[in-house]
């Protein structure tokens, strides 16, 4: 039995962002080749510290030092899969949370099997689009890679099921983001279609989720706060931008300056 | 016997761009480490969908799903060469077109041999600068890597020969771009020197060529349309920009908004 | 016995930058995955030519052609370590200078040992933050990756010692940069805290150092000029920018237009 999703209060996001800026968590990112720079810049703009360490030995060493670990399988390779497993085991051993971004799971065979295996390793959170979350949960989906053919609301049951199966907080993102721990749900409206014309906005959100799950307090609310921070900055940047090129500088500037008045405005209770 | 190159009519580029935005082709990019993000953002700004899938098994699986495949050897490695071959064979098997960007061929031994082998695998198009096209055709050239010491017009005979040898449409780009199928030629003026101070404009053009060769209709005209779209947006962005830093946002915004009035203006018949 | 650091005269930086733009050195970069594009764009904006060649055979071939070689271990892997050694040996054989950026040395075991081994291979220059330079010199430091917990002035003795041990010019960068050959020192003020919220400003500086060490003349002054060029452009871009997002375009535009009036202004003797 699950509750209906309610919209995350803006003040919850404000409080979590405040904590993030104070803690400045060190986020170990093992992510895809395409979004490395954007991911690092998003974390830096928010006040967190990114580090991409990818050799298996060093990844294990670093995962125990870092505040949280992000695993994104967008450009998975055999050597990277070794580093990912080493890093996850080290993070678990050091009781550091790790987050899974199952890019294009459901569309490609090897990574689908790999990600399903990773689910046994107790991710703190999973962030994907509707197709990915449905595929990962075992409910059928037809993706064609990074696009999401399904809406996030249609994938909410899959997110809930996946959360109950794994113990992770699951965020299924789209026009509205839904964040579930299998029992409680938050909805996060906002964002803008322009964000789908900029590579890495979803991948960077997963890194931000990793930063937020390293914070103390309610994990479900922290993951939802990560979604709200990104959708709020995205909404504003889209309003200022003249297209996907000017979106990126405006978005990073917006994350850097994001404050209570913005997080509590429009669409917020 | 070949005809003299004529300037591509703006309306041809307009029609092809219209088709591209409607079809939103999925472009599988196996490209160099430096330009991944810019390449993806260029495709997204134009309305295509990029995906970088690089594990050999997954690359083969994905090449058969995607609309077209881009091969760029800028940061070629042994494992990448395996993935490239797997992807090309899968694309050919599924009758999907693939495009070669022979970065720095002629300047470096291994990639030169590798790219010459790839010519046997029926690329739909080849896009390079003058040095690269001359080296690939077997006509002598002296490159020092990514720069082009030769002008595109001087390389037009090499482009024609390469097109006849391989069956590919060959685009040799520079101040003026020449596009040849070995018999017919198009010339595409435009662009701006500022584009040579921004990494990846040539590499991204090759990805755009891949998007356009997936469209129905005349392949020679489609490749030339890809060149015109990029040079037109580059010309405009250069006029607005204050340097190579502000060029990039302006260029992506320009690709996003590009329309008939722009494609049919200045320098067009 | 060492002299006190004096502030680098602006005219020294002006003269070196002039030389750089005339020579347009070809900089072979073996650098980390996160900063490839930004590094290339910084070199291009300044008038140098970047090339990232990473296969061991090609890296050796190319290091002998290029004007200088940059080694940055930020995302070191086993295959990359092979390419690095091949490239350094080829550069040394061809009497081309190479520069080391020891990212996160001291924080991670394998790269620390690897970089210490590299010190035997006669780097022309080493550029790092205080933690990295202290760790590399053997003086104790406690880094947590890419951040620098120590100030650059506190690391000046370590820089001097490292310079004397290796024969390299050592730049330890921070709020003020110090550049030492073990006897003489230059200080370079400038820059802005905003630069720490943009990924790759330090890594790109190391690439610029590689470009400048390829120039004739006094190597110590050339490395200091590289630092001054970047801190001057960073200072100006920070003044214009509205945050870390708009910093990047402004910074690249600034490098492209940088002139004597700027390099000789504020904080310069």
């Amino acid at each position: 039995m699950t509750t209906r999703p309610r919209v995350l209060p803006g003040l919850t996001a404000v409080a979590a962002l405040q904590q993030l800026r104070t803690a400045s968590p060190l986020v170990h990112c093992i992510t895809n080749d395409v979004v490395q720079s954007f991911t690092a810049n998003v974390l830096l703009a928010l006040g967190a510290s990114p580090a991409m360490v990818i050799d298996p030995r060093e990844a294990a060493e670093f995962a125990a030092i870092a505040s949280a670990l992000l695993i994104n399988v967008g450009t998975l390779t055999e050597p990277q899969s070794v580093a990912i497993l080493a890093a996850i085991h080290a993070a678990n051993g050091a009781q550091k949370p790790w987050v899974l971004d199952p890019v294009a799971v459901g569309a490609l065979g090897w990574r689908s099997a790999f990600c399903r295996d990773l689910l046994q390793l107790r991710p703190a959170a999973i962030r994907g689009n509707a197709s990915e979350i449905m595929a990962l949960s075992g409910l059928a989906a037809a993706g064609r890679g990074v696009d999401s053919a399904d809406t996030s609301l249609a994938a909410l049951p899959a997110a809930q099921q996946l959360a109950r199966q794994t113990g992770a907080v699951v965020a299924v993102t789209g026009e509205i983001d839904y964040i579930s721990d299998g029992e409680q749900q938050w909805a996060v409206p906002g964002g803008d279609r322009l964000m789908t014309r900029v590579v890495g906005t979803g991948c960077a959100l997963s890194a931000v989720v990793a930063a937020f799950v390293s914070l103390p307090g309610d994990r479900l609310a922290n993951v939802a706060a990560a979604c709200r921070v990104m959708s709020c900055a995205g909404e504003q940047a889209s309003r200022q931008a003249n297209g996907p090129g000017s979106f990126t500088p405006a978005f990073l500037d917006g994350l850097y300056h994001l404050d209570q008045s913005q997080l509590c405005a429009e669409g917020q209770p």
Side-chain angles (χ1 to χ4, degrees), chain A:
Chain A
M1 207 53 171
T2 59
T3 61
R4 282 159 187 260
R6 284 178 305 138
V7 174
L8 183 79
L11 283 174
T12 303
V14 171
L17 179 57
Q18 179 77 36
Q19 272 196 304
L20 182 90
R21 286 177 174 156
T22 304
S24 188
L26 180 56
V27 183
H28 180 190
C29 302
I30 302 184
T31 187
N32 71 69
D33 295 342
V34 190
V35 302
Q36 303 257 357
S37 171
F38 184 64
T39 300
N41 278 327
V42 163
L43 289 171
L44 286 168
L46 272 175
S49 286
M52 280 68 174
V53 176
I54 58 173
D55 171 75
R57 289 161 293 178
E58 289 199 340
E61 190 180 357
F62 197 69
I65 299 170
S67 312
L69 170 67
L70 166 71
I71 301 299
N72 172 308
V73 297
T75 53
L76 191 64
T77 60
E78 190 71 44
Q80 196 191 44
S81 73
V82 175
I84 287 172
L85 289 170
I88 291 175
H89 286 296
N92 281 341
Q95 304 196 356
K96 302 297 178 68
W98 71 275
V99 170
L100 176 64
D101 186 332
V103 179
V105 158
L108 291 163
W110 178 51
R111 71 178 63 192
S112 298
F114 183 72
C115 285
R116 272 193 280 269
D117 287 348
L118 293 187
L119 296 183
Q120 313 304 318
L121 301 178
R122 290 172 285 124
I126 301 168
R127 201 289 315 165
N129 64 29
S131 294
E132 293 157 353
I133 296 302
M134 289 173 78
L136 203 56
S137 75
L139 300 181
R144 57 164 214 172
V146 289
D147 291 338
S148 183
D150 308 289
T151 75
S152 50
L153 185 57
L156 181 53
Q160 292 166 334
Q161 181 174 314
L162 189 59
R164 285 190 293 261
Q165 284 168 358
T166 61
V169 171
V170 177
V172 53
T173 59
E175 273 186 57
I176 299 177
D177 304 334
Y178 295 98
I179 300 94
S180 173
D181 63 4
E183 298 195 1
Q184 306 285 323
Q185 273 78 226
W186 289 116
V188 171
D192 190 280
R193 283 189 65 77
L194 191 56
M195 296 177 84
T196 66
R197 296 282 118 199
V198 177
V199 79
T201 51
C203 297
L205 169 53
S206 297
V208 172
V209 167
F212 277 81
V213 296
S214 75
L215 301 175
D218 177 39
R219 181 157 290 169
L220 179 67
N222 283 339
V223 174
C227 294
R228 176 62 191 151
V229 159
M230 292 287 274
S231 75
C232 181
E235 218 171 83
Q236 285 182 63
S238 298
R239 239 178 281 126
Q240 291 166 32
N242 188 36
S246 47
F247 173 87
T248 299
F251 182 63
L252 293 170
D253 286 355
L255 289 172
Y256 186 70
H257 292 293
L258 202 63
D259 66 16
Q260 179 165 340
S261 71
Q262 297 161 330
L263 284 165
C264 291
E266 63 220 296
Q268 292 303 305

